[in-house]
Amino acid sequence: MLLTRIKGPRDLDLLSQEELIQLAAEIRSFLVDAVSKTGGHLGPNLGVVELTIALHRVFESPKDKVLFDTGHQAYVHKLLTGRQDFAGLRSKGGLSGYPSRAESDHDVIENSHASTVLGWADGLAKANEVLGREDHHVAAVIGDGALTGGMAWEALNNIAAAKDRPLVIVVNDNERSYGPTIGGLANHLATLRTTDGYERFLARGKEILERTPVVGKPLFETLHGAKKGLKDFIAPQGMFEDLGLKYIGPIDGHDIEALESALQRAKRFSGPVIVHCLTQKGRGYTHAEQDEADRFHGIGPIHPDTGLPVSTDAASWTSVFADEMVRLGKERKDIVGITAAMLQPVGLKKFADAFPDRIYDVGIAEQHGATSAAGLATGGAHPVFAVYATFLNRAFDQVLMDVALHKCGVTFVLDRAGVTGTDGASHNGMWDMSILQVVPGLRLAAPRDAEQLRAQLREAVEVKDAPTVVRFSKGVVGPAVPAVGRIGGMDVLRAPAADATLSLDSSNLGSAPTDVLLVSVGALAPMCLEIADLLDKQGITSTVVDPRWVKPVDEALAPLADRHRVVVTVEDNGRAGGVGSAVSQALRDAGVDVPLRDFGIPQRFLDHASRKEVLAEIGLTAPDIARHVTGLVAKLDGRYDSESAATVD
């Protein structure tokens, strides 16, 4: 096989065009076989095989920087840069599903939040200029909708301002907005537009004509307009060239020879160039090509022969939300849905099918989505903006200044909250409950099970004068966790055995203080009940409560905490500024002087692994937490020693 001979990009130089075509076929076969076993981003990578080969033939990575936006289309790049062991893709100790600096010097951008590549490219090109590295080049691949993000256009505005700073922007257009322009004339004009001599000729002509009295300037403008009109007729480049960017294309993104020719011309040009490539997402794998939803954008393990999932999961958090949104839509005509280019992944597809006139896909533009939601709310609708928790970070200012400041009734539904695992550092939803704590008036719910998700979503959309947030985990929703009572707005999930028959409120939980108050956040409720069981085996009494709404902190929590010796919070969020911090502040404000320990995600970027593996690695498991709490209670009893906290298992 040719693929096994490719240890690095320069090995591609030894292959003929016929061999490159064979290599492309081998790569597609490899991807289908490997990703069907592990899951991952299959469709986007099948679409960029020839493009990635051409990039690495033309540019000399890692001296030249080849950047991908977003990184889910970098599997072929990994294969061509010496990483062909995909057995552990997205698993602990295996390859990341995105570029990773720890894996290779050929990888640059890890964050995998879309629309950032052109900002990176602008900075790298500037660094080359400042340091005099004329033999270094930057090629930025942007596609899969990333050009819908505002950051991309901010960067283009800056890139276009530097006419003599080399930078190649490859637009991976896999939606086929228009057919490719082919033929000798188009190729000839593309060559002319990226030839320095042609540019010097135009500049000299402009200078001479503008010095000509009376008719010079009008004549130049007429000629320039005719030239521009001709180019726009031949190729749809007008928008980019109006920004001052040279344009090549559209190019058949599956023709390696044509791609190399275009990229070579762009590389030789002394300024920024757009190379527009038309590719087919899922190319070469029939099941992906025929998938109308997303061309197998992201998949779990599948049977490669049929394209069907290996296993069918139970109901997911996302599916519970999806069904409840449809029910809400039938009941209320003011409910509208908003998504940022992720209609299916965030569960709004069913709503869109049922109410096509009440769904808005804003593209990869979370900032715009949040502000548009504020406008919708001001106009009398109630928008539900469903977005991955990690991507809400990008719209924080809009949540704060557009939605909250104006007291707009907007509901944000955060999917994939907490540890998501296999997608790695950039996709863990571990920031939302921290950054949202500072937003005045915002209310934040963390449902523990499907029933609570349905109930709290309904509570959220009833709020008309403030933003509300409902966040839930990735994957299968767990079993129902019933409450045994309620204190204030909090559900009591477990009470001390002696008080099990009491009507629960903050005044009658028993005459003597209970040892531990466990504040359980969201989907970690089963873990907190397990912690309580482990503590009980050590003779430590506990109460477990689910606040349901973690912001603002329930007023009943402080007096309840005052009847306990220790307060413990457990959350699937970063510890800094999270729910534990908010509870601690609430207790201080109420004058309740009870020791508090907050358990959550440490403030560091977490490597990819399964959710269970990540939780074990960071010590967010029932035995780990029970061990710490046992030690704390022993210390309060004056009987703490090095062995007292090590007996819980």
Side-chain angles (χ1 to χ4, degrees):
M1 287 181 62
L2 289 173
L3 181 56
T4 58
R5 289 160 46 187
I6 305 300
K7 306 302 181 185
R10 298 285 53 84
D11 291 336
L12 296 171
D13 300 341
L14 306 176
L15 302 183
S16 66
Q17 286 296 321
E18 291 75 15
E19 288 174 318
L20 292 173
I21 293 170
Q22 179 185 337
L23 175 64
E26 289 182 9
I27 289 173
R28 284 198 170 88
S29 178
F30 176 94
L31 289 174
V32 171
D33 180 65
V35 181
S36 67
K37 293 182 175 72
T38 63
H41 290 99
L42 182 57
N45 289 286
L46 291 173
V48 297
V49 176
E50 291 85 0
L51 175 56
T52 309
I53 290 172
L55 280 164
H56 278 300
R57 291 255 297 177
V58 172
F59 295 95
E60 298 179 29
S61 179
K63 182 188 76 171
D64 295 338
K65 302 304 179 189
V66 180
L67 317 174
F68 292 89
D69 186 340
T70 64
H72 64 234
Q73 57 185 328
Y75 290 9
V76 185
H77 165 76
K78 288 176 183 276
L79 291 174
L80 299 180
T81 52
R83 290 166 282 175
Q84 296 182 10
D85 181 3
F86 271 47
L89 179 67
R90 301 168 74 242
S91 298
K92 186 174 183 178
L95 289 179
S96 167
Y98 297 93
S100 168
R101 291 182 175 185
E103 287 180 9
S104 174
D105 291 339
H106 295 278
D107 291 2
V108 180
I109 308 174
E110 296 189 11
N111 73 32
S112 301
H113 284 196
S115 308
T116 63
V117 73
L118 298 186
W120 274 93
D122 180 51
L124 285 164
K126 287 173 178 173
N128 287 341
E129 181 180 57
V130 169
L131 299 176
R133 296 189 296 231
E134 295 183 0
D135 62 336
H136 287 53
H137 302 273
V138 179
V141 181
I142 184 166
D144 262 2
L147 271 177
T148 61
M151 277 191 67
W153 293 96
E154 293 172 22
L156 281 171
N157 184 54
N158 283 271
I159 290 168
K163 309 293 188 200
D164 57 352
R165 184 182 300 134
L167 173 58
V168 177
I169 300 168
V170 179
V171 176
N172 174 25
D173 179 0
N174 57 26
E175 292 298 325
R176 300 193 67 84
S177 300
Y178 28 72
T181 302
I182 58 175
L185 179 59
N187 188 62
H188 178 65
L189 286 176
T191 301
L192 283 177
R193 288 196 300 273
T194 52
T195 298
D196 287 339
Y198 175 61
E199 291 301 304
R200 288 195 299 271
F201 169 78
L202 288 180
R204 179 63 175 162
K206 178 180 180 181
E207 178 183 350
I208 292 172
L209 285 171
E210 287 186 334
R211 288 206 309 263
T212 303
V214 186
V215 299
K217 187 171 183 179
L219 180 58
F220 172 80
E221 290 175 349
T222 300
L223 292 173
H224 181 75
K227 160 183 164 287
K228 188 71 168 59
L230 175 63
K231 289 194 296 183
D232 285 348
F233 175 75
I234 293 169
Q237 64 210 22
M239 178 171 61
F240 294 117
E241 291 212 342
D242 284 344
L243 288 171
L245 296 165
K246 291 302 167 186
Y247 173 95
I248 299 175
I251 306 295
D252 181 351
H254 302 295
D255 184 332
I256 297 175
E257 194 168 7
L259 287 165
E260 284 190 41
S261 175
L263 292 170
Q264 286 286 7
R265 294 197 305 274
K267 181 181 177 181
R268 288 194 298 266
F269 189 58
S270 60
V273 183
I274 295 273
V275 180
H276 182 188
C277 303
L278 297 177
T279 64
Q280 181 186 10
K281 196 171 182 177
R283 185 178 178 90
Y285 183 45
T286 303
H287 301 298
E289 292 177 351
Q290 295 177 348
D291 177 47
E292 290 301 324
D294 60 7
R295 301 293 193 275
F296 280 26
H297 178 86
I299 60 170
I302 61 172
H303 296 287
D305 293 336
T306 64
L308 297 175
V310 170
S311 62
T312 303
D313 290 331
S316 67
W317 289 95
T318 306
S319 67
V320 173
F321 161 69
D323 292 338
E324 194 63 21
M325 270 295 288
V326 173
R327 282 190 282 269
L328 280 168
K330 291 177 180 177
E331 296 169 18
R332 288 178 47 176
K333 293 184 178 180
D334 64 324
I335 297 284
V336 299
I338 300 176
T339 176
M342 304 192 82
L343 188 69
Q344 182 116 344
V346 298
L348 283 176
K349 180 65 166 61
K350 287 184 177 180
F351 184 88
D353 291 342
F355 311 104
D357 296 331
R358 288 156 56 187
I359 188 75
Y360 303 99
D361 188 340
V362 299
I364 302 177
E366 291 85 0
Q367 292 173 289
H368 166 68
T371 300
S372 179
L376 277 161
T378 300
H382 191 104
V384 177
F385 187 1
V387 61
Y388 282 9
T390 183
F391 297 142
L392 187 71
N393 305 352
R394 314 183 73 173
F396 171 74
D397 186 64
Q398 288 67 37
V399 173
L400 179 68
M401 292 298 175
D402 292 318
V403 182
L405 176 63
H406 295 86
K407 296 181 171 61
C408 295
V410 176
T411 296
F412 296 91
V413 173
L414 307 187
D415 201 325
R416 273 72 163 175
V419 171
T420 57
T422 55
D423 279 330
S426 65
H427 278 55
N428 286 312
M430 56 179 282
W431 323 104
D432 56 288
M433 290 198 293
S434 297
I435 63 176
L436 294 175
Q437 286 290 345
V438 304
V439 179
L442 181 142
R443 308 175 200 184
L444 198 160
R448 67 180 180 269
D449 57 23
E451 179 183 346
Q452 286 301 305
L453 171 52
R454 288 186 283 265
Q456 291 179 264
L457 178 62
R458 287 180 170 272
E459 292 169 26
V461 298
E462 289 297 324
V463 177
K464 295 180 172 59
D465 60 352
T468 53
V469 178
V470 180
R471 56 113 64 182
F472 50 78
S473 300
K474 177 182 179 180
V476 176
V477 64
V481 182
V484 298
R486 180 166 283 201
I487 298 177
M490 302 181 295
D491 280 347
V492 179
L493 307 184
R494 177 188 173 115
D499 301 320
T501 60
L502 298 177
S503 61
L504 295 170
D505 61 45
S506 58
S507 63
N508 61 7
L509 279 173
S511 56
T514 304
D515 289 319
V516 178
L517 173 62
L518 272 166
V519 180
S520 169
V521 177
L524 298 185
M527 178 195 296
C528 288
L529 291 173
E530 184 182 350
I531 294 168
D533 287 339
L534 293 172
L535 294 177
D536 188 59
K537 293 177 181 178
Q538 303 297 314
I540 298 171
T541 57
S542 62
T543 305
V544 181
V545 296
D546 171 12
R548 301 184 72 252
W549 290 84
V550 297
K551 174 178 164 53
V553 175
D554 196 291
E555 292 180 356
L557 185 60
L560 177 62
D562 203 27
R563 299 192 60 79
H564 292 76
R565 301 175 65 203
V566 176
V567 175
V568 173
T569 63
V570 184
E571 61 188 294
D572 196 2
N573 182 77
R575 292 180 63 224
V579 176
S581 296
V583 169
S584 177
Q585 181 175 325
L587 297 187
R588 292 195 303 271
D589 291 347
V592 176
D593 188 18
V594 176
L596 183 145
R597 294 293 181 269
D598 56 331
F599 294 91
I601 303 172
Q603 299 305 139
R604 69 172 190 260
F605 296 111
L606 305 174
D607 291 335
H608 61 279
S610 71
R611 174 177 165 86
K612 183 177 181 180
E613 288 170 331
V614 173
L615 293 177
E617 180 183 335
I618 63 178
L620 201 57
T621 68
D624 287 324
I625 295 172
R627 191 174 299 112
H628 283 290
V629 175
T630 299
L632 176 59
V633 172
K635 188 174 183 179
L636 292 175
D637 289 341
R639 55 184 175 83
Y640 181 83
D641 57 57
S642 59
E643 301 297 326
S644 62
T647 58
V648 178
D649 56 33

